[in-house]
């Protein structure tokens, strides 16, 4: 039977493009999202909150009951926080907690739920969508930047601890991507120009360009790659 991938936050943006791309490659895909999801070609669509252990556990139980295995987990669900979640001293404490909960606790809970199946298989790949903000600070987004730094180190921790069990972990670090998350900023010509001026390629990315990278990682090519952060930022962090 074909391989199985789970994509969290698969209802929108990068996650939706990734789910479609993996389905096109013949992978059986389970999409997990807190919001409304149009099924697309995904084999299984589950409403779940990645911050809630019970919700996550019940989703993964259903996935394993349905497919019998999990080859790839894409930890993609993420948030930036409200308009008030800006620089450190102005970030509401509850917004800090909410951002860490989705962006750090989420990958932890989902990976924790997927690992027993991967360990039993002796194979598996955890791909976490971090951000260029996990490598260089995104100005005015303290909670988000800190959370993505944690996502990168979470990936390295899993890579190191499970390499001898046949399980790999890699992160993808996109730069600015045109999705519902960033629409509010990119729809304002001045703010868009400000972002584009920092990117050597002079343009933001489309979700398909990130989905392509995730699909390459999810394929069993690059089999020696683990603990890596694959940066797709148009040269932003190379400056
Ligand atoms: P998006 O807002 O379009 O999609 C995120 C999806 O995650 C939504 O469908 C949402 O419902 C889901 N989600 C949010 N909280 C959830 C929860 N608690 N449980 C389950 N699902 C939840 O965002 P996007 O731009 O596609 O971002 C996807 C990932 O890529 C995020 O981790 C984001 O930080 C990262 N990223 C985005 C950009 C960008 O510029 N758009 C850049 C770098 C990294
Ligand atoms: C680069 C990245 O991960 C997105 S950071 C900016 C998000 S927002 O402030 O909502 O435009």
């Amino acid at each position: 039977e074909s391989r199985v991938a789970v994509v969290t936050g698969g209802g929108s943006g990068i996650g939706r493009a990734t789910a479609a791309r993996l389905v096109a490659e013949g992978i059986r895909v389970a999409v997990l999202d807190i919001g409304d999801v149009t099924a697309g070609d995904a084999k299984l669509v589950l409403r779940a909150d990645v911050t809630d252990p019970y919700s996550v556990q019940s989703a993964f139980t259903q996935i394993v009951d349905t497919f019998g295995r999990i080859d790839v987990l894409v930890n993609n669900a993420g948030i930036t926080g409200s308009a008030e979640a800006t620089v450190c001293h102005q970030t509401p404490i509850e917004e800090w907690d909410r951002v860490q909960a989705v962006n750090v606790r989420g990958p932890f809970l989902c990976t924790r739920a997927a690992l027993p199946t991967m360990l039993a298989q002796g194979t598996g790949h955890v791909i976490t969508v971090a951000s260029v903000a996990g490598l260089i600070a995104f100005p005015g987004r303290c909670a988000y930047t800190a959370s993505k730094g944690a996502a990168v180190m979470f990936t390295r921790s899993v890579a190191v601890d499970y390499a001898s069990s046949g399980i790999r972990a890699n992160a993808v670090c996109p730069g600015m991507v045109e999705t519902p998350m960033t629409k509010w900023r990119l729809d304002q010509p001045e703010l868009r120009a400000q972002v584009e001026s920092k990117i050597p390629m002079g343009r933001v990315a489309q979700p398909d360009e990130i989905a392509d990278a995730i699909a390459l990682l999810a394929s069993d090519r690059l089999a020696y790659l683990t603990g890596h952060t694959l940066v797709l930022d148009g040269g932003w962090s190379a400056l």
Side-chain angles (χ1 to χ4, degrees):
E1 279 238 84
S2 60
R3 287 149 48 73
V4 173
V6 181
V7 181
T8 73
S12 171
I14 294 168
R16 184 152 78 179
T18 299
R21 177 65 201 261
L22 295 177
V23 167
E25 301 208 342
I27 296 174
R28 290 177 290 166
V29 174
V31 160
L32 191 157
D33 204 292
I34 200 173
D36 286 332
V37 178
T38 46
D41 289 326
K43 290 267 188 270
L44 186 64
V45 174
L46 298 167
R47 180 76 67 106
D49 177 351
V50 297
T51 71
D52 175 1
Y54 301 101
S55 179
V56 167
Q57 197 48 61
S58 112
F60 278 81
T61 299
Q62 275 196 67
I63 291 164
V64 175
D65 284 351
T66 306
F67 297 129
R69 58 185 298 114
I70 300 172
D71 297 285
V72 178
L73 165 64
V74 184
N75 284 315
N76 165 79
I79 58 171
T80 47
S82 71
E84 285 73 48
T86 56
V87 296
C88 177
H89 77 284
Q90 285 167 350
T91 296
I93 295 165
E94 58 279 13
E95 277 302 294
W96 170 275
D97 288 344
R98 202 167 67 87
V99 170
Q100 310 312 318
V102 180
N103 298 1
V104 187
R105 180 177 160 104
F108 163 65
L109 290 178
C110 293
T111 305
R112 189 173 185 275
L115 276 169
T117 301
M118 292 179 172
L119 284 166
Q121 293 165 181
T123 175
H125 193 171
V126 178
I127 301 169
T128 298
V129 182
S131 165
V132 70
L135 307 172
I136 59 173
F138 190 89
R141 281 298 200 185
C142 176
Y144 184 77
T145 295
S147 76
K148 292 303 186 179
V152 167
M153 287 312 296
F154 171 72
T155 295
R156 292 184 187 154
S157 170
V158 173
V160 165
D161 288 342
Y162 294 92
S164 64
S165 304
I167 296 163
R168 297 186 293 126
N170 289 291
V172 173
C173 290
M176 188 63 85
V177 189
E178 193 135 22
T179 71
M181 174 188 270
T182 54
K183 183 176 164 45
W184 72 271
R185 185 185 294 277
L186 297 175
D187 278 357
Q188 300 181 64
E190 254 178 51
L191 293 185
R192 187 182 186 106
Q194 202 177 68
V195 166
E196 287 171 347
S197 73
K198 285 194 274 185
I199 305 170
M201 282 177 69
R203 66 171 181 87
V204 302
Q206 295 304 312
D208 279 348
E209 298 183 278
I210 311 306
D212 260 350
I214 296 171
L216 174 61
L217 291 177
S219 73
D220 263 345
R221 301 173 65 193
L222 312 181
Y224 198 56
L225 192 82
T226 198
H228 186 69
T229 48
L230 183 57
V231 182
L232 300 118
D233 67 353
W236 186 353
S237 62
L239 257 177

